[in-house]
Amino acid sequence: MKIALNILFKTLLFGFLTMVTQIGGIVYLLSLLITKKWKWNSKFKPLTTFIGFYLISTLLIVPLIAPIFGRERVKHSNRIKPTNYMTVLLNRNYVRPKLNEVLSQTEKELSQTNIIIHYLDANFPFINTFPLLPHLSHNDGKKIDISLIYETKNGELTGKQKSISGYGIFEDPKSNEHNQIDTCLKSGYFQYDYPKYVTFGTINKEIVFSEKGTKALINSILKNRDIGKLFIEPHLKQRMNLTDNRIRYHGCRAVRHDDHIHVQLK
């Protein structure tokens, strides 16, 4: 019984690590082999081995292999940064080179502003169609989520965010705006507002959604003709008077997009 439970635990752990990081399951199996051969008596040896091997793989090995699969890490700069560095540590920051070019061009378009492009989940480094859960479509290197822009109550743009993860703090519809959220929830799509459970904490409660900053960001992104679609909640599209036909509604089967912007290549 003990052996069976041990096998079940390791199988579930392998699946979880693979689902969350893509490479974690394989790293876990290899770390078990290394642990057996490493002559060091310590109860921390398995964990130390896994963490060390995982960090080496994520930071050094994976970036060298990913280009074989047509992907590379999102390139950071003074204006392009992850909202949360867990995105990097979990290997969820890989895109096709063309998408890096789009981000770089957008950065140049915004050079006269103090807008910072904070990105969220992009794609895993390997294999098209490998799901980046819980997303429905981040599986080909063409997609990336970008945080909304916020400002102080005095109207000054800020790079701060309202949640630790970057997801889950919504900019709800006003009374005079179309409420697609209610429509989806009443239609039985219970998952539509589930990101409220993955904020990992609310921060910077003093800042507010910036219409001018977010609109400037979206318009700068859409100046690139390689962009095929951009998803944002209909009430925000209405509020910011956005008219580009590439701004689409993502459907009730996804999750609400009034906490981030989804951008994808053609």
Side-chain angles (χ1 to χ4, degrees):
M1 185 64 176
K2 186 176 180 180
I3 294 175
L5 288 175
N6 187 44
I7 292 173
L8 177 61
F9 171 76
K10 289 181 177 179
T11 301
L12 292 175
L13 185 57
F14 172 87
F16 173 76
L17 291 171
T18 301
M19 178 181 69
V20 173
T21 71
Q22 192 175 50
I23 69 165
I26 293 175
V27 170
Y28 172 62
L29 293 181
L30 293 175
S31 70
L32 291 178
L33 296 176
I34 295 172
T35 299
K36 288 182 180 180
K37 295 185 177 295
W38 188 11
K39 296 179 180 179
W40 176 41
N41 288 326
S42 171
K43 63 181 179 180
F44 299 110
K45 182 168 68 170
L47 181 60
T48 301
T49 303
F50 172 76
I51 292 176
F53 190 26
Y54 180 83
L55 289 176
I56 290 171
S57 299
T58 293
L59 301 177
L60 299 177
I61 299 175
V62 171
L64 295 177
I65 301 175
I68 298 174
F69 294 83
R71 304 185 190 184
E72 60 188 19
R73 288 183 291 188
V74 175
K75 295 178 179 178
H76 297 171
S77 68
N78 290 334
R79 290 178 177 270
I80 302 174
K81 302 177 181 180
T83 300
N84 188 309
Y85 272 91
M86 286 303 296
T87 303
V88 176
L89 291 177
L90 296 178
N91 296 296
R92 302 166 80 91
N93 63 321
Y94 281 81
V95 295
R96 296 195 181 189
K98 181 62 70 175
L99 195 45
N100 259 331
E101 292 176 15
V102 169
L103 293 175
S104 178
Q105 180 179 321
T106 302
E107 179 184 28
K108 292 177 182 177
E109 289 286 341
L110 296 169
S111 61
Q112 300 304 310
T113 74
N114 59 350
I115 292 174
I116 297 175
I117 302 169
H118 280 108
Y119 72 89
L120 301 160
D121 282 347
N123 312 264
F124 281 137
F126 311 125
I127 310 172
N128 286 344
T129 72
F130 190 102
L132 185 126
L133 298 176
H135 303 278
L136 297 179
S137 65
H138 288 234
N139 58 12
D140 57 5
K142 292 183 176 183
K143 285 91 176 183
I144 191 168
D145 287 346
I146 297 176
S147 292
L148 303 177
I149 304 300
Y150 296 93
E151 62 185 41
T152 66
K153 292 183 179 179
N154 295 325
E156 183 179 349
L157 297 181
T158 176
K160 293 180 180 180
Q161 299 296 306
K162 292 182 71 69
S163 77
I164 292 175
S165 71
Y167 290 106
I169 304 297
F170 305 120
E171 179 59 25
D172 293 319
K174 296 180 180 180
S175 58
N176 63 333
E177 294 174 339
H178 175 64
N179 194 328
Q180 184 63 43
I181 294 93
D182 275 357
T183 300
C184 289
L185 292 176
K186 289 177 180 177
S187 298
Y189 294 96
F190 64 89
Q191 88 297 336
Y192 199 66
D193 66 350
Y194 96 94
K196 66 186 178 184
Y197 300 114
V198 294
T199 64
F200 302 130
T202 301
I203 54 176
N204 302 316
K205 295 182 180 180
E206 74 282 1
I207 61 176
V208 295
F209 171 69
S210 174
E211 291 182 36
K212 64 179 181 181
T214 304
K215 183 175 182 177
L217 171 61
I218 290 174
N219 283 334
S220 295
I221 291 170
L222 292 174
K223 286 184 179 180
N224 194 301
R225 305 317 299 176
D226 290 312
I227 295 299
K229 295 178 184 178
L230 186 148
F231 295 153
I232 195 166
E233 207 63 39
H235 67 272
L236 292 184
K237 179 180 178 180
Q238 174 188 347
R239 188 183 307 177
M240 292 183 284
N241 193 28
L242 297 167
T243 58
D244 193 297
N245 60 16
R246 289 172 293 170
I247 302 175
R248 310 283 183 82
Y249 175 57
H250 42 279
C252 287
R253 294 183 183 277
V255 296
R256 58 191 287 185
H257 281 63
D258 52 354
D259 61 341
H260 71 281
I261 304 161
H262 169 99
V263 178
Q264 67 184 64
L265 297 174
K266 291 179 179 178

